Amino acid sequence: MTSWTKEELLAYLLVWSAHADFNENTDEVELMSTKVSMDVLKKIEKEFMRDNDKQSIDKICDTFERLNYSSSELDQVFEDMKELFQIDGKMDILEGNLIRGLKHILR
């Protein structure tokens, strides 16, 4: 269980998304910094690097439930993730699978 705010959850999701293809690049970091503060981003990235896949999914699901996201808020999160995925001009298979899986889990 986390005590994350919505900004921290978004930061975690963006970091998680950036690592979906095992290649976080500077364009992705720049985009993430327009969505959340750099302090939050750095803090959350350190936490993400310590987590395994199961811990990441559990934290994301538990936090979404605790923060009681509305349908429109959830849609915006997915749009932010898609924007990050497409920053290099395409959404690859790993990125597409990640977003489909998360939608399945959260909806």
Side-chain angles (χ1 to χ4, degrees), residues 1-2 4-6 9-10 12-13 16 56-78 81 102-103 105-107:
M1 187 81 145
T2 72
W4 292 340
T5 63
K6 287 185 176 184
L9 175 58
L10 179 59
Y12 196 92
L13 284 166
W16 188 54
S56 292
I57 299 277
D58 288 347
K59 285 180 176 184
I60 290 166
C61 291
D62 291 346
T63 305
F64 264 110
E65 186 176 324
R66 180 179 58 79
L67 293 176
N68 197 26
Y69 270 65
S70 69
S71 181
S72 63
E73 287 175 312
L74 193 55
D75 289 343
Q76 183 58 54
V77 166
F78 287 125
M81 290 173 68
L102 188 59
K103 281 182 178 181
I105 291 169
L106 295 178
R107 292 201 173 178

Side-chain angles (χ1 to χ4, degrees), residues 35-96:
K35 307 283 183 185
V36 298
S37 76
M38 281 304 290
D39 288 341
V40 167
L41 191 58
K42 287 177 185 177
K43 173 187 149 198
I44 291 296
E45 185 149 26
K46 285 180 187 176
E47 183 169 351
F48 171 81
M49 297 307 284
R50 291 189 308 262
D51 292 344
N52 63 39
D53 290 342
K54 180 169 179 0
Q55 290 168 320
S56 292
I57 299 277
D58 288 347
K59 285 180 176 184
I60 290 166
C61 291
D62 291 346
T63 305
F64 264 110
E65 186 176 324
R66 180 179 58 79
L67 293 176
N68 197 26
Y69 270 65
S70 69
S71 181
S72 63
E73 287 175 312
L74 193 55
D75 289 343
Q76 183 58 54
V77 166
F78 287 125
E79 287 304 313
D80 290 340
M81 290 173 68
K82 285 180 190 175
E83 183 180 359
L84 184 72
F85 289 148
Q86 294 172 340
I87 200 154
D88 60 1
K90 62 182 175 22
M91 185 183 306
D92 70 25
I93 291 171
L94 292 172
E95 294 166 336

